[in-house]
């Protein structure tokens, strides 16, 4: 941990009680002047840190920004995800940044956030709107010991983790549309883009790109998206702290990644199915120029969707765009 992480960890732990400069300096083995300098820098970033002779330093308010040291200090130890966190003010796409890190040999678990993306992308070649400070736009590097066909297991696990974290932070009950759309009141509020580099029989690495529309106001969505998309702020009726949500998602994802890598996909899939709005429903799936009609029956052991077509055949679907039939 660097000094900022240690100071932030101590401030968060001391909460309303506060911690004195002398105690911090002794615990962290640096001078009180060095502590003071770091506190001043944190204040300049927007951290409200009260200093009084009686109570020492107290953290009274945190800014609405993503700060790697703060995220790391609050996340604490995880098994894999979030061992290393990096934050960019702006990047083209966090999936590209993580892809480059993967090719450079960085270990799994690194998470890259961007306050804004200039070329955020969604599934099926779509653009992903990523305005500054309004959402969570981030990617995670994983190196799971899975066959490429089982990569969908990770998309399913990620959708479940994001849905659980949103519920925990907002009290809202998100639904999941196969494979990876998180919906509130039938409108999309988060999506996942899984990209992988693989050989025939094994995954070399996998990049999970996660986008959550957190604090966008209705007018910030382009007109053609307003009926289809929503934000947590619109649905919850209040602004959310993005760092709190980011931490909740990383913890949930760390738990579900552990379940996937220890062969517990079935338990994950059952929880996913409880939240899924697609299963049991008549759907149309567009795969390129193909259009399949049928009933979404279940997930198979790789996370693919089993569709009972209108002709009674069972089709295994691994990609495409699902539309629910009215
Ligand atoms: C989708 O539902 O189509 C997937 C959207 C994924 C968006 C995220 S935002 C962070 C990461 N970087 C990207 O360019 N895309 C993903």
């Amino acid at each position: 941990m660097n000094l900022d992480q240690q100071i932030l960890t101590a401030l968060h732990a001391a909460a309303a009680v506060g911690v004195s400069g002398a105690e911090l300096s002794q615990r962290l083995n640096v001078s009180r002047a060095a502590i003071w300098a770091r506190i001043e820098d944190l204040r300049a970033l927007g951290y409200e840190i009260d200093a009084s002779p009686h109570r020492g330093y107290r953290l009274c308010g945190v800014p609405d920004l993503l700060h790697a040291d703060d995220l790391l200090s609050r996340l604490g130890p995880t098994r894999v995800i979030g061992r290393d966190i990096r934050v960019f003010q702006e990047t083209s796409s966090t999936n590209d940044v993580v892809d480059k890190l993967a090719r450079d040999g960085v270990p799994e678990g690194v998470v890259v956030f961007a306050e804004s993306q200039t070329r955020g992308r969604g599934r099926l070649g779509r653009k992903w709107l990523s305005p500054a400070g309004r959402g969570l736009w981030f990617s995670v590097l994983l190196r799971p010991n899975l066959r490429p066909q089982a990569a969908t297991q990770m998309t399913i696990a990620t959708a479940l983790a994001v849905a659980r974290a949103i519920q925990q932070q907002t009290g809202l009950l998100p639904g999941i549309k196969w494979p990876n759309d998180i919906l509130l009141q039938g409108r999309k509020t988060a999506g996942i883009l899984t990209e992988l580099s693989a050989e025939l029989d094994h995954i070399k690495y996998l990049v999970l790109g996660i986008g959550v529309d957190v604090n966008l106001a209705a007018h910030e969505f382009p007109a053609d998206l307003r009926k289809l998309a929503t934000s947590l702020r619109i649905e919850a009726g209040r602004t959310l702290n993005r760092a709190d949500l980011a931490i909740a998602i990383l913890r949930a994802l760390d738990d579900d990644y552990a379940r996937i890598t220890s062969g517990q996909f079935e338990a994950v899939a059952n929880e996913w199915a409880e939240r899924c709005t697609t299963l049991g429903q008549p759907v149309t799936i567009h795969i390129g120029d193909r259009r399949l009609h049928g009933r979404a029956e279940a997930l198979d052991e790789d996370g693919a969707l089993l569709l009972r077509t209108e002709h009674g055949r069972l089709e295994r679907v691994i990609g495409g765009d699902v539309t629910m039939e009215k």
Side-chain angles (χ1 to χ4, degrees):
M1 270 207 237
N2 65 29
L3 188 55
D4 281 9
Q5 277 170 42
Q6 291 177 310
I7 293 175
L8 285 163
T9 304
L11 287 174
H12 282 295
V17 181
V19 52
S20 74
E23 192 183 328
L24 276 178
S25 127
Q26 200 186 26
R27 241 201 269 167
L28 308 181
N29 203 19
V30 290
S31 69
R32 287 174 69 168
I35 302 275
W36 174 252
R38 300 314 311 141
I39 296 274
E40 282 297 284
D41 281 1
L42 289 169
R43 280 179 173 153
L45 284 173
Y47 287 86
E48 290 165 40
I49 303 171
D50 190 47
S52 90
H54 303 298
R55 306 172 81 164
Y57 294 116
R58 265 186 327 129
L59 187 58
C60 305
V62 291
D64 182 28
L65 56 80
L66 300 171
H67 183 284
D69 289 332
D70 195 24
L71 291 170
L72 280 163
S73 79
R74 289 172 57 193
L75 182 62
T78 52
R79 299 175 193 86
V80 174
I81 289 162
R83 296 195 279 215
D84 178 358
I85 295 181
R86 308 181 189 193
V87 178
F88 288 72
Q89 282 313 299
E90 183 176 282
T91 186
S92 54
S93 157
T94 54
N95 269 35
D96 293 341
V97 177
V98 169
D99 188 74
K100 165 100 180 45
L101 295 177
R103 284 186 277 114
D104 289 347
V106 168
E108 68 169 350
V110 62
V111 183
V112 172
F113 289 89
E115 287 286 9
S116 73
Q117 297 183 117
T118 51
R119 294 167 65 92
R121 58 178 183 271
R123 288 176 67 231
L124 310 170
R126 295 182 181 131
K127 279 193 190 152
W128 184 265
L129 183 75
S130 324
R134 288 294 199 247
L136 289 176
W137 330 122
F138 66 105
S139 303
V140 182
L141 170 63
L142 296 176
R143 299 182 184 277
N145 185 10
L146 289 177
R147 294 165 297 120
Q149 298 87 314
T152 312
Q153 287 189 2
M154 266 322 295
T155 306
I156 298 286
T158 307
L160 175 64
V162 172
R164 270 209 319 274
I166 289 177
Q167 184 174 358
Q168 188 206 69
Q169 292 293 308
T170 63
L172 301 166
L173 192 63
I176 304 174
K177 190 178 94 168
W178 185 86
N180 62 359
D181 287 356
I182 311 292
L183 310 179
L184 285 168
Q185 303 295 335
R187 292 182 183 174
K188 179 159 168 172
T189 192
I192 296 148
L193 175 68
T194 308
E195 296 180 319
L196 75 159
S197 165
E199 288 181 0
L200 266 181
D201 56 347
H202 79 277
I203 293 178
K204 288 204 274 187
Y205 63 85
L206 189 143
V207 180
L208 287 176
I210 300 169
V212 189
D213 290 331
V214 183
N215 286 330
L216 281 96
H219 71 265
E220 290 175 291
F221 288 101
D224 56 330
L225 280 186
R226 265 174 227 161
K227 281 208 177 94
L228 304 172
T230 188
S231 72
L232 300 181
R233 170 176 151 189
I234 295 170
E235 299 303 324
R238 66 184 167 93
T239 303
L240 283 131
N241 182 284
R242 290 177 307 139
D244 288 346
L245 179 64
I247 287 166
I249 295 175
L250 296 183
R251 287 202 179 119
L253 195 55
D254 193 53
D255 290 343
D256 285 349
Y257 186 49
R259 292 204 282 175
I260 295 294
T261 51
S262 61
Q264 298 177 58
F265 175 64
E266 203 180 327
V268 171
N270 289 340
E271 284 172 36
W272 178 94
E274 278 168 27
R275 295 182 182 264
C276 179
T277 54
T278 320
L279 291 183
Q281 300 298 319
V283 295
T284 302
I285 305 185
H286 301 257
I287 310 168
D289 292 340
R290 251 179 111 206
R291 212 182 245 222
L292 289 172
H293 297 285
R295 184 172 293 273
E297 279 205 352
L299 288 185
D300 76 1
E301 69 282 358
D302 284 336
L305 184 69
L306 298 176
L307 181 81
R308 180 72 61 188
T309 69
E310 52 196 343
H311 311 295
R313 276 197 322 272
L314 201 58
E315 289 246 6
R316 186 175 179 275
V317 184
I318 54 164
D321 212 13
V322 174
T323 319
M324 318 280 277
E325 287 168 13
K326 301 266 153 53

